[in-house]
Amino acid sequence: MDNAVILAGGQGKRMKADMPKPLFKVLGEPMLEWVIGACEGAGISDLCIVKGYRAEMIDEYLDGRYETVLQAERLGTGHAVMQAVPFLKKNTDGNTLILCGDAPFIDSETIKKSLEQHKANGNAVTVITSELDEPKGYGRIIRTADGISSIVEEKDATPEQKKIKEINSGAYWFRTADLIESLGHLTTDNSQGEYYLTDTIYVLLEQGKRADAFRSENPNVVLGANDRKGLLMLNKTAREDIISRHLENGVEFTCTDGITIGRDVVIGAGTQILSGTVLSGKTVIGSDCVIGPDCIIENSSVGNGTKLNYVQCYDSKIENNVKIGPFVQVRPGSHILDGAKIGDFVEIKNSTIGECTAVAHLTYVGDSDVGGCVNFGCGVVTVNYDGEKKSRCTIEDNAFIGCNTNLVAPVKIGKGAYTAAGSTVTKDVPADALVIERGEARIIEGYAPRKLKNRKKK
Ligand code: UD1
Ligand code: CA
């Protein structure tokens, strides 16, 4: 079985943060996660992650999902892979993919195609390469009639070699047994005094084995970030790539200002995404929706024909032909059914809002089960927390909740029942009834002039 080793030991000093570089985020997800995703997408899930700088942060992030090894000292890429030898020895029959945890744009397609070539040609090592107009800083690929003869680091390269544009992306396929064998022969005899992983090529060629390169069609496979500016560039590249993929799928953008879409987000054709909208996590949006301006949708699903305007929505489900906004927050655990309307300054939390129900303005619905065709007046509050525990409200179909009603949970409003405006409802209301829970009106005649006299005295 094939496996992979991801190098994630780097610090990234120029980021000026106390964090391993692979944990810096591109479109809201750590670069390491992008690399892991590319492996998983290519069907490789037997992974070993080499950690170094602030290793405990890598552990905390991975939370036991994958095996890790510690590279206690940073002595080069070859040394980093040496730390994974015990992992590699568990299964020496297949091939091993080596990747950099801070080069997020390696893709599953490149991984799969390079493995095919690697196996078909019987290579001991296949280097994944890329052609760059500005190859400065990268290892240059020295091709021969029948493969490659070496990779020369910038610092070790002659002026002629520096002109070569095909560079080492830092990703490789090795026959696992050959990798283990060749690591044992590395030395630090180079300008940086490091164990270069790339020197395995000499070792393998000397043993009469094949070394070759696979040129990726994806020009971004090599991209990484050395500083915050570089990280911003990675975000920009990813953002544009993803938007162009959605354009191809029939999603409409009139401009892309402030629009950020996570790599796993799915959007149906005919949907319009307006400026300032951020879609992230496992969000799925249906067809013919209008999302934006300025929506934040995280880990949520939205049906077809739904319009969201200045909405923030987290871990929730919104169905078809729903209209929400402006200035609405839908908090985790909410489910908003077909045709519902939710208007300005409304918060919905952990609640179901039934079909065609209207919550038009200035209302809080928390921990509640609301039926269909319910009408909420302005300023309704479900009083779901007594300072100790949370309780639920149930509001059945066709109920009419008057303006400024407080529903003190747990309480149930039966089918078709009315609550009088300004009531603080503390008792269950049967179907079709009206509840009035407020003080009787008291009229005090001639009050104002007396009051005015006192104020004038003062
Ligand atoms: C390496 C390659 C170079 C290639 C470039 C692509 C070598 C000798 N050179 O360059 O040919 O063009 O990658 O980016 O391999 N790392 C560790 N421990 C170490 C050293 C590095 O974990 O001791 C990790 C880094 O965190 C990073 C990856 O290995 O994820 C590459 O290291 P980096 O120093 O960026 O690569 P270079 O040596 O510059
Ligand atoms: Ca280096």
Side-chain angles (χ1 to χ4, degrees):
M1 200 184 51
D2 302 322
N3 55 23
V5 174
I6 302 175
L7 307 185
Q11 174 180 4
K13 264 192 201 133
R14 282 189 278 158
M15 293 287 187
K16 308 222 163 101
D18 205 10
M19 189 164 91
K21 189 150 75 167
L23 292 186
F24 279 92
K25 289 178 179 171
V26 171
L27 299 190
E29 260 189 296
M31 295 195 270
L32 178 59
E33 196 60 50
W34 286 70
V35 177
I36 290 171
C39 290
E40 293 278 6
I44 299 155
S45 47
D46 187 17
L47 306 182
C48 177
I49 287 138
V50 182
K51 57 196 176 177
Y53 182 72
R54 302 284 320 261
E56 72 285 359
M57 292 182 81
I58 300 277
D59 285 335
E60 194 186 328
Y61 176 72
L62 290 173
D63 196 24
R65 282 188 294 153
Y66 298 103
E67 194 169 331
T68 64
V69 287
L70 179 68
Q71 183 194 21
E73 290 171 288
R74 239 174 103 80
L75 303 178
T77 48
H79 182 256
V81 180
M82 284 176 202
Q83 313 312 306
V85 166
F87 164 81
L88 297 173
K89 281 194 170 156
K90 286 195 282 185
N91 168 17
T92 55
D93 299 336
N95 300 284
T96 297
L97 174 69
I98 309 282
L99 296 173
C100 295
D102 52 10
F105 299 146
I106 183 75
D107 61 288
S108 303
E109 213 44 37
T110 295
I111 290 172
K112 282 195 273 191
K113 283 191 184 158
S114 55
L115 176 60
E116 273 166 31
Q117 183 188 306
H118 175 74
K119 288 204 264 195
N121 296 355
N123 297 342
V125 56
T126 302
V127 182
I128 297 173
T129 70
S130 173
E131 284 235 343
L132 294 185
D133 288 337
E134 289 178 42
K136 194 161 185 270
Y138 293 103
R140 308 298 205 282
I141 305 294
I142 314 293
R143 287 221 178 229
T144 62
D146 182 36
I148 64 171
S149 66
S150 65
I151 296 172
V152 184
E153 293 304 301
E154 175 88 25
K155 284 176 181 146
D156 303 304
T158 64
E160 268 317 295
Q161 289 170 331
K162 282 184 182 162
K163 286 183 193 153
I164 296 170
K165 294 200 158 134
E166 186 177 15
I167 56 99
N168 171 18
S169 71
Y172 321 75
W173 274 110
F174 283 91
R175 243 182 345 231
T176 308
D178 287 330
L179 173 61
I180 296 170
E181 223 281 313
S182 60
L183 285 171
H185 295 273
L186 295 186
T187 67
T188 55
D189 185 17
N190 52 57
S191 65
Q192 300 189 78
E194 289 181 354
Y195 291 99
Y196 286 176
L197 179 60
T198 45
D199 285 349
T200 53
I201 292 167
Y202 298 121
V203 177
L204 294 167
L205 287 173
E206 226 162 71
Q207 295 176 349
K209 290 169 181 155
R210 272 187 58 84
D212 206 348
F214 174 88
R215 196 175 309 161
S216 172
E217 285 158 21
N218 173 0
N220 297 337
V221 284
V222 66
L223 292 187
N226 288 321
D227 51 22
R228 300 278 181 172
K229 218 168 160 180
L231 191 64
L232 179 62
M233 287 308 292
L234 291 185
N235 274 285
K236 186 169 182 276
T237 303
R239 214 165 72 84
E240 286 170 359
D241 265 20
I242 288 171
I243 289 176
S244 80
R245 202 177 75 209
H246 288 295
L247 285 166
E248 279 162 28
N249 291 345
V251 179
E252 188 176 336
F253 298 83
T254 44
C255 74
T256 61
D257 295 346
I259 295 176
T260 301
I261 301 174
R263 67 191 169 109
D264 293 331
V265 172
V266 177
I267 308 176
T271 283
Q272 207 181 351
I273 307 291
L274 302 179
S275 65
T277 291
V278 178
L279 308 175
S280 65
K282 307 270 173 235
T283 291
V284 178
I285 312 253
S287 306
D288 303 315
C289 294
V290 180
I291 311 293
D294 294 314
C295 287
I296 297 178
I297 316 287
E298 208 175 277
N299 290 323
S300 296
S301 74
V302 176
N304 302 320
T306 285
K307 293 191 164 81
L308 307 181
N309 170 18
Y310 287 93
V311 173
Q312 300 201 355
C313 175
Y314 306 93
D315 302 296
S316 289
K317 201 166 172 195
I318 299 171
E319 304 287 355
N320 307 303
N321 303 312
V322 171
K323 210 173 154 202
I324 309 185
F327 317 116
V328 170
Q329 177 165 218
V330 179
R331 289 171 56 200
S334 297
H335 187 189
I336 300 179
L337 274 63
D338 287 8
K341 280 197 181 64
I342 297 173
D344 47 273
F345 304 105
V346 170
E347 176 176 331
I348 308 285
K349 187 211 97 177
N350 191 26
S351 295
T352 301
I353 305 293
E355 280 183 28
C356 299
T357 282
V359 191
H361 12 236
L362 299 160
T363 289
Y364 171 60
V365 181
D367 302 316
S368 297
D369 303 297
V370 180
C373 297
V374 171
N375 187 81
F376 283 75
C378 181
V380 174
V381 173
T382 55
V383 184
N384 60 324
Y385 184 49
D386 63 6
E388 276 174 32
K389 60 179 193 310
K390 304 227 164 99
S391 306
R392 296 190 77 84
C393 291
T394 304
I395 301 165
E396 294 189 337
D397 294 349
N398 302 315
F400 187 100
I401 312 298
C403 288
N404 272 313
T405 296
N406 292 316
L407 298 170
V408 182
V411 76
K412 181 173 146 187
I413 309 296
K415 273 190 185 166
Y418 279 67
T419 74
S423 290
T424 292
V425 179
T426 56
K427 288 195 182 95
D428 287 357
V429 181
D432 298 324
L434 164 70
V435 62
I436 308 172
E437 230 182 301
R438 61 186 184 209
E440 286 290 320
R442 213 152 62 92
I443 309 287
I444 300 167
E445 297 284 357
Y447 173 84
R450 287 202 306 274
K451 184 88 181 174
L452 195 63
K453 225 161 80 188
N454 288 341
R455 265 165 58 195
K456 274 186 180 158
K457 264 190 212 157
K458 267 194 198 156

